[in-house]
Coordinates of all heavy atoms in Angstrom, one line a residue:
T1 N 11.5 25.6 -67.6 CA 12.6 25.4 -66.6 C 12.5 24.1 -65.9 O 11.4 23.5 -65.9 CB 12.6 26.5 -65.6 OG1 11.4 26.4 -64.8 CG2 12.6 27.9 -66.3
S2 N 13.5 23.7 -65.2 CA 13.5 22.4 -64.5 C 12.5 22.5 -63.4 O 11.9 21.5 -63.0 CB 14.9 22.1 -64.0 OG 15.4 23.0 -63.1
T3 N 12.3 23.7 -62.8 CA 11.4 23.8 -61.7 C 10.0 23.6 -62.2 O 9.2 22.9 -61.6 CB 11.4 25.2 -61.1 OG1 12.8 25.4 -60.6 CG2 10.5 25.4 -59.9
E4 N 9.7 24.1 -63.4 CA 8.3 23.9 -64.0 C 8.1 22.4 -64.3 O 7.0 21.9 -64.1 CB 8.2 24.7 -65.2 CG 8.1 26.2 -64.9 CD 8.2 27.1 -66.1 OE1 8.8 26.7 -67.1 OE2 7.7 28.2 -66.1
V5 N 9.1 21.8 -64.9 CA 9.0 20.3 -65.2 C 8.8 19.5 -64.0 O 7.8 18.7 -63.9 CB 10.3 19.8 -65.9 CG1 10.2 18.3 -66.1 CG2 10.4 20.5 -67.3
L6 N 9.5 19.7 -62.9 CA 9.3 19.0 -61.7 C 8.0 19.3 -61.1 O 7.3 18.3 -60.5 CB 10.5 19.2 -60.7 CG 11.8 18.7 -61.1 CD1 12.9 19.0 -60.1 CD2 11.8 17.1 -61.3
S7 N 7.5 20.5 -61.1 CA 6.2 20.8 -60.6 C 5.1 20.1 -61.3 O 4.2 19.6 -60.7 CB 6.0 22.4 -60.7 OG 4.8 22.7 -60.2
M8 N 5.3 20.0 -62.6 CA 4.3 19.2 -63.4 C 4.2 17.8 -63.0 O 3.2 17.2 -62.8 CB 4.6 19.3 -64.9 CG 3.6 18.5 -65.8 SD 4.2 18.4 -67.5 CE 5.7 17.5 -67.3
Y9 N 5.4 17.2 -62.9 CA 5.5 15.7 -62.5 C 5.0 15.6 -61.0 O 4.4 14.5 -60.7 CB 6.9 15.2 -62.7 CG 7.2 14.8 -64.1 CD1 8.0 15.6 -64.9 CD2 6.6 13.7 -64.7 CE1 8.2 15.3 -66.2 CE2 6.8 13.4 -66.0 CZ 7.6 14.1 -66.8 OH 7.9 13.8 -68.1
E10 N 5.3 16.5 -60.2 CA 4.8 16.4 -58.8 C 3.2 16.5 -58.8 O 2.6 15.7 -58.1 CB 5.3 17.6 -57.9 CG 6.7 17.7 -57.7 CD 7.1 16.8 -56.4 OE1 6.3 16.3 -55.8 OE2 8.3 16.7 -56.2
N11 N 2.7 17.3 -59.6 CA 1.2 17.4 -59.8 C 0.6 16.1 -60.2 O -0.3 15.6 -59.7 CB 0.8 18.5 -60.7 CG -0.7 18.8 -60.7 OD1 -1.4 18.6 -59.7 ND2 -1.1 19.1 -61.9
I12 N 1.2 15.5 -61.3 CA 0.7 14.3 -61.8 C 0.9 13.1 -60.8 O 0.0 12.3 -60.7 CB 1.5 13.9 -63.2 CG1 1.1 15.0 -64.2 CG2 1.1 12.5 -63.6 CD1 2.0 14.9 -65.5
A13 N 2.0 13.1 -60.1 CA 2.2 12.1 -59.1 C 1.1 12.2 -58.0 O 0.6 11.2 -57.5 CB 3.6 12.2 -58.5
G14 N 0.8 13.4 -57.6 CA -0.2 13.7 -56.6 C -1.6 13.2 -57.0 O -2.3 12.6 -56.3
L15 N -1.9 13.6 -58.3 CA -3.2 13.2 -58.9 C -3.3 11.6 -59.0 O -4.3 11.1 -58.7 CB -3.4 13.8 -60.2 CG -3.7 15.3 -60.2 CD1 -3.6 15.9 -61.6 CD2 -5.1 15.6 -59.6
S16 N -2.2 11.0 -59.4 CA -2.2 9.6 -59.5 C -2.4 8.9 -58.2 O -3.0 7.8 -58.0 CB -1.0 9.0 -60.3 OG 0.2 9.2 -59.5
K17 N -1.8 9.5 -57.1 CA -2.0 9.0 -55.8 C -3.4 9.1 -55.3 O -4.0 8.1 -54.8 CB -1.1 9.7 -54.8 CG -1.1 9.2 -53.4 CD -0.2 9.9 -52.5 CE -0.2 9.4 -51.1 NZ 0.7 10.1 -50.2
Q18 N -4.1 10.2 -55.7 CA -5.5 10.4 -55.3 C -6.3 9.4 -56.1 O -7.3 8.8 -55.6 CB -5.9 11.8 -55.6 CG -5.4 12.8 -54.7 CD -5.8 14.2 -55.2 OE1 -6.9 14.5 -55.4 NE2 -4.8 15.1 -55.3
M19 N -5.9 9.1 -57.4 CA -6.7 8.2 -58.2 C -6.6 6.8 -57.6 O -7.6 6.0 -57.6 CB -6.1 8.2 -59.6 CG -6.4 9.4 -60.4 SD -5.5 9.6 -62.0 CE -6.1 8.1 -62.9
A20 N -5.4 6.4 -57.2 CA -5.2 5.1 -56.5 C -6.1 4.9 -55.3 O -6.7 3.9 -55.1 CB -3.8 4.8 -56.2
A21 N -6.2 6.0 -54.5 CA -7.0 6.0 -53.3 C -8.5 5.9 -53.7 O -9.2 5.1 -53.1 CB -6.7 7.2 -52.5
A22 N -8.9 6.6 -54.7 CA -10.3 6.5 -55.2 C -10.6 5.1 -55.7 O -11.7 4.6 -55.4 CB -10.6 7.6 -56.2
A23 N -9.7 4.5 -56.4 CA -9.9 3.2 -56.9 C -10.1 2.2 -55.7 O -11.0 1.3 -55.7 CB -8.8 2.7 -57.8
R24 N -9.2 2.3 -54.7 CA -9.3 1.4 -53.6 C -10.6 1.5 -52.8 O -11.1 0.6 -52.3 CB -8.1 1.6 -52.7 CG -6.8 1.0 -53.2 CD -5.7 1.0 -52.1 NE -5.2 2.3 -51.8 CZ -4.2 2.9 -52.5 NH1 -3.7 2.3 -53.5 NH2 -3.8 4.1 -52.2
L25 N -11.1 2.8 -52.8 CA -12.4 3.0 -52.1 C -13.6 2.7 -53.0 O -14.7 2.8 -52.5 CB -12.5 4.5 -51.7 CG -11.5 4.9 -50.6 CD1 -11.5 6.4 -50.5 CD2 -11.8 4.2 -49.3
G26 N -13.4 2.3 -54.3 CA -14.5 2.0 -55.2 C -15.2 3.3 -55.6 O -16.3 3.2 -56.1
D27 N -14.5 4.4 -55.5 CA -15.1 5.7 -56.0 C -14.8 5.9 -57.4 O -13.9 6.7 -57.8 CB -14.6 6.9 -55.1 CG -15.1 8.2 -55.5 OD1 -16.0 8.3 -56.4 OD2 -14.6 9.2 -55.0
F28 N -15.5 5.2 -58.3 CA -15.1 5.3 -59.7 C -15.5 6.6 -60.4 O -14.9 7.0 -61.4 CB -15.7 4.1 -60.5 CG -15.2 2.8 -60.0 CD1 -15.9 1.9 -59.2 CD2 -13.8 2.5 -60.2 CE1 -15.4 0.7 -58.7 CE2 -13.3 1.3 -59.7 CZ -14.1 0.4 -59.0
D29 N -16.5 7.3 -59.8 CA -16.8 8.7 -60.3 C -15.7 9.6 -60.0 O -15.2 10.4 -60.9 CB -18.1 9.2 -59.7 CG -19.4 8.5 -60.3 OD1 -19.3 8.0 -61.4 OD2 -20.4 8.5 -59.6
G30 N -15.2 9.5 -58.8 CA -14.0 10.4 -58.4 C -12.8 10.0 -59.2 O -12.0 10.9 -59.6
L31 N -12.6 8.7 -59.4 CA -11.5 8.2 -60.2 C -11.5 8.8 -61.6 O -10.6 9.3 -62.1 CB -11.5 6.7 -60.3 CG -10.4 6.1 -61.1 CD1 -9.0 6.4 -60.7 CD2 -10.6 4.6 -61.1
S32 N -12.7 8.8 -62.2 CA -12.9 9.3 -63.6 C -12.6 10.8 -63.6 O -11.9 11.3 -64.5 CB -14.3 9.1 -64.0 OG -14.5 9.6 -65.3
K33 N -13.1 11.6 -62.6 CA -12.8 13.0 -62.6 C -11.3 13.3 -62.4 O -10.7 14.2 -63.1 CB -13.6 13.7 -61.4 CG -15.0 13.8 -61.7 CD -15.8 14.3 -60.5 CE -17.3 14.2 -60.7 NZ -18.1 14.6 -59.5
L34 N -10.6 12.5 -61.6 CA -9.2 12.7 -61.4 C -8.4 12.3 -62.6 O -7.4 12.9 -63.0 CB -8.7 11.9 -60.2 CG -9.2 12.4 -58.8 CD1 -9.0 11.3 -57.7 CD2 -8.3 13.6 -58.4
E35 N -8.9 11.3 -63.3 CA -8.3 10.9 -64.6 C -8.3 12.0 -65.6 O -7.3 12.3 -66.3 CB -9.0 9.7 -65.1 CG -8.4 9.1 -66.4 CD -9.1 7.9 -66.9 OE1 -10.3 7.7 -66.6 OE2 -8.5 7.1 -67.6
G36 N -9.4 12.8 -65.7 CA -9.4 13.9 -66.5 C -8.5 15.0 -66.2 O -7.8 15.6 -67.0
Q37 N -8.3 15.3 -64.9 CA -7.4 16.3 -64.4 C -5.9 15.8 -64.7 O -5.1 16.6 -65.1 CB -7.5 16.5 -62.9 CG -8.8 17.1 -62.5 CD -9.0 17.2 -61.0 OE1 -8.0 17.2 -60.3 NE2 -10.2 17.2 -60.5
C38 N -5.7 14.5 -64.5 CA -4.4 14.0 -64.7 C -4.0 14.1 -66.2 O -2.9 14.5 -66.6 CB -4.3 12.5 -64.3 SG -2.6 11.9 -64.2
A39 N -5.0 13.8 -67.1 CA -4.7 13.9 -68.5 C -4.4 15.3 -68.9 O -3.5 15.6 -69.7 CB -5.9 13.3 -69.3
S40 N -5.2 16.2 -68.4 CA -4.9 17.7 -68.6 C -3.5 18.1 -68.2 O -2.8 18.7 -68.9 CB -5.9 18.6 -68.0 OG -7.2 18.4 -68.5
A41 N -3.1 17.6 -67.0 CA -1.8 18.0 -66.5 C -0.7 17.3 -67.3 O 0.4 17.9 -67.5 CB -1.7 17.5 -65.0
A42 N -1.0 16.1 -67.8 CA 0.1 15.4 -68.6 C 0.2 15.9 -70.0 O 1.1 15.5 -70.7 CB -0.2 13.9 -68.5
S43 N -0.8 16.7 -70.5 CA -0.7 17.1 -71.9 C 0.5 17.9 -72.2 O 0.9 17.9 -73.4 CB -2.0 17.9 -72.2 OG -2.0 19.1 -71.5
A44 N 1.1 18.5 -71.2 CA 2.3 19.3 -71.5 C 3.5 18.4 -71.9 O 4.4 18.8 -72.6 CB 2.7 20.1 -70.2
V45 N 3.4 17.1 -71.4 CA 4.5 16.2 -71.7 C 4.5 15.9 -73.2 O 5.6 15.8 -73.9 CB 4.3 14.9 -71.0 CG1 5.4 13.9 -71.4 CG2 4.5 15.1 -69.5
E46 N 3.3 15.9 -73.9 CA 3.2 15.7 -75.3 C 3.9 16.8 -76.1 O 4.3 16.5 -77.2 CB 1.7 15.5 -75.7 CG 1.1 14.3 -75.0 CD -0.4 14.3 -75.3 OE1 -0.9 15.1 -76.1 OE2 -1.1 13.4 -74.7
T47 N 3.9 18.0 -75.6 CA 4.5 19.1 -76.4 C 6.0 19.1 -76.1 O 6.7 19.9 -76.8 CB 3.9 20.4 -76.0 OG1 4.1 20.7 -74.6 CG2 2.4 20.5 -76.3
G48 N 6.5 18.3 -75.2 CA 8.0 18.2 -75.0 C 8.4 19.0 -73.7 O 7.8 20.0 -73.5
V49 N 9.3 18.4 -73.0 CA 9.8 19.1 -71.8 C 11.3 19.0 -71.9 O 11.9 18.1 -72.5 CB 9.3 18.4 -70.5 CG1 7.8 18.6 -70.3 CG2 9.7 16.9 -70.5
P50 N 12.0 20.0 -71.3 CA 13.4 20.0 -71.4 C 14.0 18.8 -70.6 O 13.5 18.4 -69.7 CB 13.8 21.3 -70.8 CG 12.7 21.7 -70.0 CD 11.4 21.2 -70.6
A51 N 15.2 18.4 -71.1 CA 15.9 17.3 -70.4 C 16.4 17.9 -69.1 O 16.8 19.1 -69.0 CB 17.1 16.9 -71.3
L52 N 16.5 17.0 -68.1 CA 17.0 17.4 -66.8 C 18.3 16.7 -66.5 O 18.6 15.7 -67.1 CB 15.9 17.1 -65.7 CG 14.6 17.7 -65.9 CD1 13.6 17.2 -64.8 CD2 14.6 19.2 -65.9
A53 N 19.1 17.3 -65.6 CA 20.3 16.7 -65.2 C 20.5 16.7 -63.7 O 19.8 17.4 -63.0 CB 21.5 17.4 -65.9
G54 N 21.4 15.8 -63.2 CA 21.7 15.8 -61.8 C 20.5 15.5 -60.9 O 19.7 14.5 -61.2
A55 N 20.4 16.2 -59.8 CA 19.4 16.0 -58.8 C 17.9 16.1 -59.4 O 17.0 15.4 -59.1 CB 19.5 16.9 -57.6
A56 N 17.8 17.0 -60.3 CA 16.4 17.2 -60.9 C 16.0 16.0 -61.8 O 14.9 15.6 -61.7 CB 16.4 18.5 -61.8
R57 N 17.0 15.5 -62.5 CA 16.7 14.3 -63.3 C 16.4 13.1 -62.3 O 15.4 12.4 -62.6 CB 18.0 13.9 -64.1 CG 17.8 12.7 -65.0 CD 19.1 12.4 -65.8 NE 18.9 11.3 -66.7 CZ 19.1 10.0 -66.4 NH1 19.5 9.7 -65.1 NH2 18.9 9.1 -67.2
Q58 N 17.1 12.9 -61.2 CA 16.8 11.8 -60.3 C 15.4 12.1 -59.7 O 14.7 11.1 -59.5 CB 17.9 11.7 -59.2 CG 17.7 10.5 -58.3 CD 17.7 9.2 -59.1 OE1 18.6 8.9 -59.9 NE2 16.6 8.4 -58.9
R59 N 15.0 13.3 -59.4 CA 13.7 13.5 -58.8 C 12.6 13.2 -59.8 O 11.6 12.6 -59.5 CB 13.6 15.0 -58.4 CG 12.3 15.4 -57.8 CD 12.0 14.6 -56.5 NE 10.7 14.9 -56.0 CZ 9.9 14.1 -55.4 NH1 10.3 12.8 -55.1 NH2 8.7 14.4 -55.0
K60 N 12.9 13.5 -61.1 CA 11.9 13.2 -62.1 C 11.8 11.7 -62.2 O 10.6 11.1 -62.3 CB 12.4 13.8 -63.5 CG 11.4 13.4 -64.6 CD 12.0 13.9 -66.0 CE 11.3 13.3 -67.2 NZ 11.8 13.8 -68.4
I61 N 12.8 10.9 -62.2 CA 12.8 9.5 -62.2 C 12.0 8.9 -61.0 O 11.2 8.0 -61.2 CB 14.2 8.9 -62.3 CG1 14.9 9.2 -63.6 CG2 14.2 7.4 -62.0 CD1 16.4 8.9 -63.7
D62 N 12.3 9.5 -59.8 CA 11.5 9.0 -58.7 C 10.0 9.3 -58.8 O 9.2 8.5 -58.4 CB 12.1 9.7 -57.4 CG 13.5 9.3 -57.0 OD1 13.9 8.2 -57.5 OD2 14.1 10.0 -56.3
L63 N 9.7 10.5 -59.4 CA 8.3 10.8 -59.5 C 7.6 9.8 -60.6 O 6.5 9.4 -60.4 CB 8.1 12.2 -60.0 CG 8.4 13.3 -58.9 CD1 8.6 14.7 -59.5 CD2 7.3 13.3 -57.8
L64 N 8.4 9.5 -61.6 CA 7.8 8.6 -62.6 C 7.6 7.2 -62.0 O 6.6 6.6 -62.3 CB 8.8 8.5 -63.9 CG 8.8 9.7 -64.7 CD1 9.9 9.6 -65.8 CD2 7.4 9.9 -65.5
K65 N 8.5 6.8 -61.1 CA 8.3 5.5 -60.4 C 7.1 5.5 -59.6 O 6.3 4.6 -59.5 CB 9.6 5.2 -59.6 CG 10.7 4.7 -60.5 CD 12.0 4.4 -59.6 CE 13.2 4.1 -60.4 NZ 14.4 3.8 -59.6
Q66 N 6.8 6.7 -58.9 CA 5.6 6.8 -58.1 C 4.4 6.7 -59.0 O 3.4 6.1 -58.6 CB 5.6 8.1 -57.3 CG 6.6 8.2 -56.2 CD 6.6 9.6 -55.6 OE1 5.6 10.3 -55.7 NE2 7.7 10.0 -55.0
I67 N 4.4 7.4 -60.1 CA 3.3 7.4 -61.0 C 3.0 6.0 -61.5 O 1.8 5.6 -61.6 CB 3.5 8.4 -62.2 CG1 3.6 9.9 -61.6 CG2 2.5 8.3 -63.3 CD1 4.2 10.8 -62.6
L68 N 4.1 5.3 -61.9 CA 3.8 3.9 -62.4 C 3.3 3.0 -61.3 O 2.5 2.2 -61.5 CB 5.2 3.4 -62.9 CG 5.6 4.0 -64.2 CD1 7.0 3.6 -64.6 CD2 4.6 3.7 -65.4
A69 N 3.8 3.2 -60.1 CA 3.3 2.4 -58.9 C 1.8 2.7 -58.7 O 1.0 1.8 -58.4 CB 4.1 2.6 -57.7
N70 N 1.5 3.9 -58.8 CA 0.1 4.3 -58.6 C -0.8 3.7 -59.7 O -1.9 3.3 -59.5 CB -0.1 5.8 -58.5 CG 0.4 6.4 -57.2 OD1 0.4 5.7 -56.2 ND2 0.9 7.6 -57.3
D71 N -0.3 3.8 -60.9 CA -1.0 3.2 -62.1 C -1.2 1.7 -61.8 O -2.3 1.2 -62.1 CB -0.2 3.4 -63.4 CG -0.9 2.8 -64.5 OD1 -2.0 3.3 -64.9 OD2 -0.3 1.9 -65.1
R72 N -0.2 1.0 -61.4 CA -0.4 -0.5 -61.1 C -1.4 -0.7 -60.0 O -2.3 -1.6 -60.1 CB 1.0 -1.0 -60.6 CG 1.0 -2.4 -60.0 CD 0.6 -3.6 -60.9 NE 0.4 -3.6 -62.2 CZ -0.5 -4.3 -62.9 NH1 -1.4 -5.1 -62.3 NH2 -0.7 -4.2 -64.2
A73 N -1.4 0.2 -59.0 CA -2.4 0.0 -57.9 C -3.9 0.2 -58.5 O -4.8 -0.5 -58.1 CB -2.1 1.0 -56.8
I74 N -4.0 1.2 -59.3 CA -5.3 1.5 -60.0 C -5.7 0.3 -60.8 O -6.9 -0.2 -60.7 CB -5.2 2.8 -60.8 CG1 -5.0 4.0 -59.9 CG2 -6.5 2.9 -61.6 CD1 -4.5 5.2 -60.7
R75 N -4.8 -0.2 -61.6 CA -5.1 -1.4 -62.5 C -5.4 -2.6 -61.7 O -6.3 -3.4 -62.1 CB -4.0 -1.6 -63.5 CG -4.1 -0.6 -64.6 CD -3.1 -0.8 -65.7 NE -1.7 -0.5 -65.3 CZ -0.7 -1.4 -65.4 NH1 -0.9 -2.5 -65.9 NH2 0.5 -1.0 -65.0
D76 N -4.7 -2.8 -60.5 CA -5.0 -3.9 -59.7 C -6.5 -4.0 -59.2 O -7.1 -5.0 -59.0 CB -4.1 -3.9 -58.4 CG -2.7 -4.4 -58.8 OD1 -2.4 -4.9 -59.9 OD2 -1.8 -4.2 -57.9
V77 N -7.1 -2.8 -59.0 CA -8.4 -2.7 -58.6 C -9.4 -2.7 -59.8 O -10.4 -3.4 -59.7 CB -8.7 -1.3 -57.8 CG1 -10.1 -1.1 -57.5 CG2 -7.9 -1.3 -56.5
T78 N -9.1 -2.0 -60.8 CA -10.0 -1.9 -61.9 C -10.0 -3.0 -62.9 O -11.1 -3.3 -63.5 CB -9.8 -0.6 -62.7 OG1 -8.4 -0.6 -63.2 CG2 -10.0 0.6 -61.8
E79 N -8.9 -3.7 -63.2 CA -8.9 -4.8 -64.2 C -9.8 -5.9 -63.8 O -10.6 -6.4 -64.7 CB -7.5 -5.2 -64.4 CG -6.7 -4.2 -65.3 CD -5.3 -4.7 -65.6 OE1 -4.8 -5.6 -65.0 OE2 -4.6 -4.0 -66.4
P80 N -9.8 -6.4 -62.6 CA -10.7 -7.5 -62.3 C -12.2 -7.1 -62.4 O -13.0 -7.9 -62.9 CB -10.5 -7.8 -60.8 CG -9.1 -7.4 -60.6 CD -8.9 -6.1 -61.5
W81 N -12.5 -5.8 -62.1 CA -13.9 -5.3 -62.2 C -14.2 -5.2 -63.7 O -15.3 -5.7 -64.1 CB -14.0 -4.0 -61.6 CG -15.3 -3.3 -61.8 CD1 -16.4 -3.5 -61.1 CD2 -15.6 -2.3 -62.7 NE1 -17.5 -2.7 -61.5 CE2 -17.0 -2.0 -62.6 CE3 -14.9 -1.7 -63.7 CZ2 -17.7 -1.1 -63.4 CZ3 -15.6 -0.8 -64.5 CH2 -16.9 -0.5 -64.3
I82 N -13.3 -4.7 -64.5 CA -13.6 -4.6 -66.0 C -13.8 -5.9 -66.6 O -14.7 -6.1 -67.4 CB -12.5 -3.8 -66.7 CG1 -12.5 -2.3 -66.2 CG2 -12.5 -3.9 -68.2 CD1 -11.4 -1.5 -66.7
N83 N -13.0 -6.9 -66.2 CA -13.1 -8.2 -66.8 C -14.5 -8.9 -66.4 O -14.9 -9.8 -67.1 CB -12.0 -9.1 -66.3 CG -10.7 -8.7 -66.9 OD1 -10.7 -8.2 -68.0 ND2 -9.6 -8.9 -66.3
K84 N -15.2 -8.5 -65.4 CA -16.5 -9.0 -65.0 C -17.6 -8.3 -65.7 O -18.7 -8.9 -65.8 CB -16.7 -8.8 -63.5 CG -15.8 -9.7 -62.6 CD -16.1 -9.4 -61.2 CE -15.2 -10.2 -60.3 NZ -15.4 -9.9 -58.9
V85 N -17.4 -7.2 -66.3 CA -18.4 -6.4 -67.0 C -18.6 -7.0 -68.4 O -17.7 -7.0 -69.2 CB -18.1 -4.9 -67.1 CG1 -19.2 -4.2 -67.9 CG2 -17.9 -4.3 -65.7
P86 N -19.8 -7.6 -68.7 CA -20.1 -8.2 -70.0 C -19.9 -7.2 -71.1 O -20.4 -6.0 -71.0 CB -21.6 -8.7 -69.9 CG -21.9 -8.7 -68.4 CD -21.0 -7.7 -67.8
G87 N -19.3 -7.6 -72.2 CA -19.2 -6.8 -73.3 C -18.0 -5.9 -73.4 O -17.6 -5.4 -74.4
L88 N -17.3 -5.7 -72.3 CA -16.1 -4.8 -72.3 C -14.9 -5.6 -72.7 O -14.1 -5.0 -73.4 CB -15.9 -4.2 -70.9 CG -16.8 -3.1 -70.5 CD1 -16.4 -2.5 -69.1 CD2 -16.8 -1.9 -71.5
C89 N -14.7 -6.7 -72.2 CA -13.5 -7.5 -72.6 C -14.0 -8.9 -73.1 O -14.5 -9.7 -72.4 CB -12.6 -7.7 -71.3 SG -12.0 -6.2 -70.7
Q90 N -13.8 -9.1 -74.3 CA -14.2 -10.3 -75.0 C -13.0 -11.1 -75.3 O -12.0 -10.7 -75.8 CB -15.0 -10.0 -76.2 CG -16.2 -9.2 -76.0 CD -17.4 -10.0 -75.4 OE1 -17.4 -11.2 -75.5 NE2 -18.2 -9.3 -74.7

């Protein structure tokens, strides 16, 4: 149902927000744990979710924008660190 789809995206958005906070704090163990939770929550997307319309569709779009913004915030912290680790990025 649309409620279940939005609930899933709300959960992923919340986890990605926590991941961004962990990254900013340098809590990479916490970030890794949250990443696993987020991957589990997102696995439902791979099996397909029903299309949404109207306000539910707009809410999904807003949540996806939040998730992408959180992803950018995480990468802003982690990419410079990864580039400094010998052997990871050649």
Side-chain angles (χ1 to χ4, degrees):
T1 68
S2 63
T3 302
E4 292 169 331
V5 171
L6 289 177
S7 178
M8 178 191 63
Y9 280 104
E10 292 274 358
N11 184 39
I12 294 168
L15 288 167
S16 70
K17 183 177 180 178
Q18 292 176 47
M19 289 169 63
R24 282 190 290 275
L25 292 171
D27 178 8
F28 296 110
D29 288 335
L31 176 60
S32 179
K33 289 176 187 174
L34 288 163
E35 183 180 23
Q37 292 175 27
C38 192
S40 293
S43 66
V45 175
E46 294 174 7
T47 61
V49 294
L52 302 178
R57 181 178 183 275
Q58 186 57 51
R59 180 64 183 145
K60 177 183 169 184
I61 290 168
D62 292 342
L63 290 166
L64 287 169
K65 287 178 182 179
Q66 289 175 25
I67 293 165
L68 290 172
N70 290 329
D71 179 67
R72 167 66 7 217
I74 295 163
R75 287 186 287 127
D76 285 347
V77 172
T78 58
E79 283 179 353
W81 176 82
I82 288 173
N83 290 330
K84 291 180 185 177
V85 178
L88 286 182
C89 297
Q90 302 282 337

